[in-house]
Amino acid sequence: MTWPHNCVQPTELLANHTSFRIGGAAEWYAEPQGLDELLVLLREAQRHGVPVSVVGGGTNLLVADRGVRGLVISLRRGRAFRMVEVLSHEDEPQAQIRCGSAVYTQQLVTLGGCHGWGGVDALAGLPGQIGGAIVMNAQQIGQFVERIRLVSLAGAVHEFTRDQLQFAYRYTRMEPGILIDAILRFERADPQATLARIQRVLHRRNATQEVTLPSAGCAFKNPPGISAGRLIDQAGLKGTRIGDARISLRHANFIVNLGRATCDDVLSLMDYVQRRVSRSVGILLEPEVRLLGERW
C-alpha cells in the first residue's frame, strides 16, 4: 500500500514507544506533523479498510508480542499537538488553557506551577501525555476539562463538552477516534504555594512508586474503597515473577520489566494475580493497563 504522506513507515517496533519496553512491530506507523496530515491519513485508512490504533505517551500500554495490524498513529512529532496556549488574561479569576494532546503532563504541571494554576499539583508525577490522561481520566484530570476536540476514525473533527464526556473513575465517555486538544480551566493560586505542593506530591510518588524499572504504571484499577496494591500485597504476591515480568517490590500494583519480559509474561502474571486475589478476598481485579494488538 502507498500512503499519501512520507510520515508513514512500515514495521516500526512499538517496544521503542512504550514505557514497558515490550511489544512487536506495527504494520504501519505514522507521526503526522499536523491536523491536515492526520485527517488525510485517517481518510485513506478508512478508504482501504486499514484498522487504526493510537499510541500516546505509551505509559499505560502493553503491546502484543506479535505486533499490531494496520496503522498505528502517534501525535508526538506534530507541533500543533504539542502546544500550550493561555487563552485567559492574568486579571481573570480562572486560567483557561488550550492544550495539545501530545503535551507531556509534567510540562503542563511545570507551567501551571510557575503561573499559579490551582489544582495542577494533582497531576504531578503523572506520566505520559495529556491526551492519554484525559482518555483515562487519570488523577481525575476531568475536573479541569472544559471541552475537547476529537478526530473520528473517518477523518472528521468533533467537539465535546465536559457534560458529554461523563468523567468517572478511570473512565471518560468518548467516541472512537483521536483526541487532538482540550480546553482546561484552573482556579488562580499563589505560584510559590502551588510549586511547593507539586514538590511534595513528587517526593511522595517517588518514595512509594516504581520509578527505576520499565513498567506501565498501575496494572489494576482500585476496587471501591480499597487499593489494588494493598490487596496484591496482602495476598503475598510482591516479587512474584513470570519470565522477566515481576510484581514490584516497592509497589504491589506495578508490574516491571526486568529486561526481556514479553507481553505474554505480563498477561500471565496479571492472570495469576487476579486468580490469587479472587480466591483470597473474592474480588476480581480489573486491568488498568491497556492491551494493544492480539495476544495469540
Side-chain angles (χ1 to χ4, degrees), residues 159-264:
E159 187 170 290
F160 296 91
T161 64
R162 173 190 176 83
D163 291 340
Q164 291 172 298
L165 298 171
Q166 298 179 9
F167 291 107
Y169 173 67
R170 295 294 188 270
Y171 171 80
T172 304
R173 185 182 184 274
M174 197 174 295
E175 302 292 329
I178 301 176
L179 194 156
I180 54 173
D181 59 29
I183 304 295
L184 308 177
R185 188 178 290 275
F186 299 94
E187 298 293 335
R188 298 286 184 183
D190 177 67
Q192 288 189 333
T194 304
L195 286 169
R197 285 194 297 271
I198 290 169
Q199 289 304 312
R200 288 196 295 270
V201 173
L202 289 174
H203 178 76
R204 184 170 64 251
R205 283 179 175 268
N206 291 336
T208 59
Q209 295 186 359
E210 183 61 65
V211 294
T212 59
L213 291 170
S215 79
C218 289
F220 298 98
K221 298 179 182 180
N222 291 326
I226 191 168
S227 76
R230 178 173 296 180
L231 294 175
I232 297 168
D233 194 6
Q234 290 173 347
L237 294 174
K238 266 188 178 179
T240 300
R241 175 176 175 177
I242 294 179
D244 257 9
R246 185 182 72 185
I247 297 175
S248 169
L249 297 172
R250 171 174 274 194
H251 192 305
N253 199 17
F254 280 60
I255 292 176
V256 297
N257 177 3
L258 297 177
R260 297 184 178 180
T262 65
C263 175
D264 198 52

